Amino acid sequence: MSAARETVLGRVRDALALAPPARTTVPRAYRTGRLLPDEERLGLFTDRLTDYRATVLTCTADGTAAAVGRALADRGARRVGVPAGLDRSWLAGWDGEVFEDSADVPPRDLESLDGVVTGAAAGCAETGTVFLDASPDQGRRALSLVPDLHVCVVDLSTVEAGVPEALARLVTGRPTTLISGPSATSDIELERVEGVHGPRTLVVVVRTDA
Amino acid sequence: MSRAGTPQSTNTFLGMPARPPRVPYGEGNLRGEQAFPRAAAGELRNEQLRRNLGRATGTIRGKRIAVTAELPDWEELRDAGAAIKTDALARLPELLEELERRVTERGGTVHWARDGAEANEIVTRLVRATGSDEVIKVKSMATQEIGLNEHLEQAGITPWETDLAELIVQLGHDRPSHILVPAIHRNRDEIREIFLREIPGVDPGLDAVPEHLAAAARAYLREKFMTTRVAVSGANFGIAETGTLGVVESEGNGRMCLTLPETLITVMGIEKVLPRHQDLEVFLQLLPRSSTGERMNPYTSLWTGVTEGDGPQDFHLVLLDNGRTAALADSVGRQALNCIRCSACLNVCPVYERVGGHAYGSTYPGPIGAVLTPQLAGMHAAADDPNSSLPYASTLCGACYDACPVKIDIPSLLVELRHQKTEETGRSAERLAMRAAAAVMGRPRLWTAAQRTARLGRAVAGRDGTIGRLPRPLSGWSDTRDTPAPPAQTFRDWFASAEGAAALREAAREGERRSADGPAHGDDQQEDQ
């Protein structure tokens, strides 16, 4: 490979030879493997998401269509995008136009959508985070980014108590996005403003029995 | 010293290990034009800046304390974070090679850069190869450090900063003053004026409400996101085990840059490598809570090479040395490479809070900047190198050590760098003064005489009991500090006076009364029960 590569690696080895580091073992005494009963996880997850100014709706699996329909109708969405692998029955309770995304749709076309509905790979209660890993029901990353409204359906069974438990659910190597509340900035006098470049509205629909 | 001057460093593994070079003098943004005391004196007179900073750092401090207190295992997470970084640095060669292998397997291309100039050339070449004359950028400390924007502009390529604060800095033809909130020195009215002046077609009726200002930035940058074919980012971590890179952000501008363009170029310092995917569970708890005081930042993106049908189909990772190996070669100083750029140390630092980021002259301000900058770029023998003043830009109060999520012992590093500075670059006058002080302090009669002479200082003190300005060479001290006037009487004089003798007698009587009242430490024992 390149001379730069050999030089940089050589310098790293030299540095470590000049000042040999002591052996380090990593203490992992922090909390892992937590199990919380459904009700507590739901309570914590809802509390944290609401704190980030996301909206949380809960429903049973049977009530998904009603909850998603309500989330879209309440915000006046008329045309929404969905990933190809999304369960279409989730949109049965809504009468707007559904646009199915695919890889060859230019991102610009996503701008004309009022919103997007996706599933989720996992959730983390303690931080109020949903994880998207580009599975067929979640689609490519641009889809959940460009439209201004994101309705994200999460199964409570995939919501873990803490960060270590939730990360352990991820399949490594997939494009992954962790979302905690809507897009936000605090760059102007540290005053929090929702929505700069990402979706300004995030609705999380938690399916309590799925 | 130039690279050509140290032939061993290009030939390292064949002979004796050589000390890796620091960033060449005059390159990038790791050195200001003025020494810290002079720069700070100017900033201290800016009352608007001090008000903004005081409010901002106070707010983030409070939020950080609240969310770290929520975690009963916060200290265990800090221990794990510190050990993971230390371990990663100790195994850096194998981890970097593993990262390179994984990224390449997944369709990415890895480049190595010895210094900022080389990284700038690589990025420029990659952008040119796409045919684009503009790039969108995610806020990145590494590219700020090497002055990539200036380099691209010289090459005829326009870099667009997309983080709101970076945009404010860029449109204001300004420099960032904080790692996390680079435009913290600007208030809403100033930002409104910058937007009205610099954003083409902006609504002339734009007011100074943060929400409206953010919306103006959103509208302005949307077009750039949709049309620009190349993006440049930094990385918060690169995972050797999987080849995964991660960017942590809030606004979604990061997601835009990382997913919409055809080509993505990521510039990452070699110290950002983490051994395993599992290590994310530690840093995704430490970083957001320490930096913005949030339980989690709104968006974290993780990507591994290239994924068909999702995101850029051409991915380049530039691994940057730029003085990092020089820091690594110092067994004490290498701790600074554990830094995860959270900025918690800035927000608790009494010095930073008053002078702001610009006084440090470097991309890395505050306590961590005061140790990292001299290690990357050196404190060159020229006595006027501004970097040699940075280890003194501290009260050594230790608040930064307490706040650091990866337990970097910044106060000890500052003291070590002060030592190195006087050893290597100390001026002869400074050494002479120290030797003279040692001689006087070693002789009681001389010391007493010197103290009495010092009382003359009261004659030059103002009404508030402070001395504003001393004659040379003492002006070096007094130019940037108010010196309290010496007391009317030295301790020795007081000790020998009738007043001192009376106070001593009273203290002795008090001691006798106490021992007659009961057993020693009686009070303490009672409290124990």
Side-chain angles (χ1 to χ4, degrees):
Chain A
M1 275 292 280
S2 73
R5 177 185 193 275
E6 296 314 315
T7 305
V8 174
L9 282 171
R11 285 179 188 171
V12 176
R13 290 193 188 99
D14 277 1
L16 295 172
L18 284 167
R23 276 197 85 80
T24 310
T25 47
V26 177
R28 294 189 191 264
Y30 53 86
R31 297 171 301 163
T32 52
R34 274 167 286 171
L35 297 171
L36 278 185
D38 279 1
E39 209 155 294
E40 278 182 51
R41 266 184 302 127
L42 178 61
L44 193 59
F45 192 45
T46 306
D47 175 69
R48 298 297 152 89
L49 275 164
T50 311
D51 197 30
Y52 283 137
R53 301 178 206 176
T55 304
V56 181
L57 303 175
T58 53
C59 64
T60 58
D62 289 344
T64 311
V68 169
R70 186 150 41 95
L72 293 172
D74 283 356
R75 281 150 196 91
R78 294 307 310 150
R79 188 161 178 268
V80 301
V82 295
L86 192 87
D87 184 342
R88 288 300 186 89
S89 73
W90 292 0
L91 289 157
W94 183 67
D95 61 356
E97 185 193 338
V98 177
F99 171 86
E100 187 177 296
D101 184 43
S102 68
D104 47 341
V105 172
R108 172 135 266 172
D109 291 4
L110 302 174
E111 274 200 293
S112 64
L113 298 170
D114 297 326
V116 55
V117 180
T118 73
C124 174
E126 196 171 73
T127 58
T129 307
V130 290
F131 293 43
L132 270 57
D133 72 354
S135 293
D137 65 333
Q138 296 149 45
R140 57 177 175 157
R141 289 170 288 172
L143 178 65
S144 55
L145 171 65
V146 178
D148 208 15
L149 163 69
H150 181 192
V151 177
C152 184
V153 181
V154 186
D155 294 343
L156 183 59
S157 59
T158 69
V159 176
E160 298 283 351
V163 172
E165 299 84 25
L167 276 169
R169 282 185 166 269
L170 289 182
V171 178
T172 60
R174 306 187 62 113
T176 301
T177 309
L178 280 61
I179 299 174
S180 310
S183 158
T185 184
S186 302
D187 280 343
I188 302 170
E189 297 183 24
L190 287 183
E191 192 166 297
R192 189 179 165 101
V193 174
E194 265 75 46
V196 192
H197 306 299
R200 282 185 270 206
T201 308
L202 173 68
V203 183
V204 178
V205 176
V206 187
R207 308 203 304 169
T208 53
D209 59 348
Chain B
M1 228 170 7
S2 70
R3 281 206 303 273
T6 51
Q8 310 94 305
S9 69
T10 54
N11 230 348
T12 31
F13 35 85
L14 295 179
M16 293 287 288
R19 198 178 165 88
R22 300 190 191 276
V23 177
Y25 199 96
E27 251 182 36
N29 294 316
L30 288 172
R31 182 174 276 105
E33 280 156 19
Q34 290 181 317
F36 181 83
R38 196 163 294 278
E43 300 290 312
L44 279 170
R45 282 192 283 275
N46 183 345
E47 286 188 24
Q48 178 73 55
L49 172 89
R50 290 181 66 174
R51 255 201 308 278
N52 289 2
L53 276 174
R55 193 153 7 113
T57 53
T59 305
I60 310 181
R61 274 204 301 274
K63 285 174 72 183
R64 184 183 63 85
I65 295 286
V67 297
T68 55
E70 270 179 10
L71 297 189
D73 55 347
W74 181 248
E75 289 307 317
E76 285 77 13
L77 285 166
R78 286 178 78 203
D79 287 335
I84 291 168
K85 294 295 284 188
T86 306
D87 173 54
L89 289 176
R91 298 193 287 126
L92 204 47
E94 64 177 86
L95 293 179
L96 288 172
E97 285 177 308
E98 190 181 0
L99 177 67
E100 178 187 45
R101 198 162 55 243
R102 296 292 172 216
V103 170
T104 309
E105 278 171 9
R106 291 294 303 259
T109 310
V110 178
H111 310 260
W112 299 70
R114 284 166 278 215
D115 52 33
E118 190 163 37
N120 287 335
E121 281 160 28
I122 292 169
V123 175
T124 306
R125 178 166 50 77
L126 291 171
V127 177
R128 282 219 174 103
T130 68
S132 178
D133 60 359
E134 56 181 358
V135 299
I136 44 177
K137 283 191 70 207
V138 199
K139 173 175 177 286
S140 147
M141 301 307 293
T143 61
Q144 173 67 28
E145 168 191 327
I146 62 178
L148 177 65
N149 286 5
E150 295 82 346
H151 186 90
L152 288 174
E153 279 164 12
Q154 277 166 18
I157 297 163
T158 309
W160 302 101
E161 290 291 350
T162 62
D163 169 80
L164 178 55
E166 286 288 346
L167 177 71
I168 294 166
V169 168
Q170 191 180 36
L171 293 178
H173 309 289
D174 198 358
R175 286 178 303 133
S177 65
H178 190 283
I179 292 175
L180 176 74
V181 267
I184 203 167
H185 56 291
R186 297 286 201 183
N187 63 24
R188 60 187 74 189
D189 296 314
E190 293 174 302
I191 295 165
R192 172 178 169 269
E193 279 164 31
I194 292 169
F195 280 13
L196 285 176
R197 195 173 61 232
E198 301 283 337
I199 297 183
V202 75
D203 175 7
L206 180 68
D207 60 23
V209 176
E211 200 181 331
H212 301 159
L213 293 168
R218 178 187 175 102
Y220 174 59
L221 286 175
R222 238 337 135 106
E223 191 58 25
K224 308 287 177 214
F225 289 135
M226 292 300 157
T227 53
T228 311
R229 286 177 289 132
V230 188
V232 176
S233 85
N236 289 93
F237 18 72
I239 299 157
E241 180 184 43
T242 57
T244 303
L245 291 147
V247 162
V248 167
E249 48 121 10
S250 295
E251 297 176 4
N253 66 304
R255 294 178 65 193
M256 291 274 179
C257 293
L258 298 169
T259 58
L260 299 186
E262 294 158 19
T263 301
L264 172 63
I265 305 165
T266 298
V267 181
M268 182 183 102
I270 53 173
E271 84 285 11
K272 289 290 181 83
V273 69
L274 293 179
R276 300 163 61 191
H277 187 266
Q278 194 202 343
D279 298 329
L280 282 178
E281 70 190 22
V282 175
F283 293 99
L284 285 180
Q285 295 190 73
L286 290 174
L287 182 54
R289 287 180 200 259
S290 299
S291 83
T292 52
E294 292 174 299
R295 298 183 186 103
M296 188 66 90
N297 49 291
Y299 297 131
T300 298
S301 294
L302 303 171
W303 74 98
T304 310
V306 170
T307 303
E308 204 189 326
D310 191 342
Q313 297 301 295
D314 192 14
F315 171 59
H316 298 269
L317 174 64
V318 181
L319 293 172
L320 177 71
D321 178 352
N322 209 39
R324 282 159 178 77
T325 47
L328 187 65
D330 182 328
S331 59
V332 182
R334 66 160 58 122
Q335 253 194 87
L337 296 176
N338 287 4
C339 175
I340 57 172
R341 315 279 191 261
C342 73
S343 73
C345 63
L346 276 61
N347 300 323
V348 299
C349 178
V351 176
Y352 176 87
E353 184 178 327
R354 282 159 184 82
V355 303
H358 290 156
Y360 296 80
S362 162
T363 292
Y364 305 105
I368 189 64
V371 296
L372 194 56
T373 302
Q375 291 193 88
L376 297 175
M379 299 179 283
H380 285 255
D384 57 353
D385 179 1
N387 278 357
S388 62
S389 66
L390 291 181
Y392 300 87
S394 168
T395 63
L396 299 181
C397 73
C400 47
Y401 187 16
D402 283 341
C404 179
V406 289
K407 292 192 163 178
I408 301 170
D409 184 357
I410 297 174
S412 294
L413 295 187
L414 287 164
V415 171
E416 168 63 20
L417 284 171
R418 289 180 188 189
H419 170 74
Q420 287 179 16
K421 193 257 167 182
T422 32
E423 285 294 300
E424 290 168 21
T425 68
R427 284 192 231 186
S428 52
E430 189 178 343
R431 282 198 203 151
L432 269 178
M434 288 298 162
R435 237 175 268 161
V440 172
M441 285 172 167
R443 294 181 181 78
R445 253 171 220 283
L446 264 179
W447 177 236
T448 306
Q451 282 190 311
R452 287 199 177 127
T453 312
R455 268 184 284 167
L456 291 174
R458 291 176 68 78
V460 295
R463 275 212 202 130
D464 59 352
T466 59
I467 299 170
R469 195 150 197 291
L470 292 167
R472 283 177 70 83
L474 297 174
S475 57
W477 171 272
S478 67
D479 278 357
T480 48
R481 299 171 181 83
D482 288 334
T483 309
Q489 202 173 22
T490 69
F491 175 75
R492 282 155 181 267
D493 285 346
W494 174 85
F495 193 83
S497 70
E499 188 195 341
L504 277 171
R505 277 196 300 276
E506 176 55 33
R509 272 201 295 275
E510 174 71 13
E512 276 166 23
R513 262 204 305 277
R514 280 182 174 230
S515 56
D517 283 350
H521 311 302
D523 292 348
D524 293 347
Q525 283 171 0
Q526 267 179 357
E527 272 173 25
D528 285 346
Q529 283 158 6

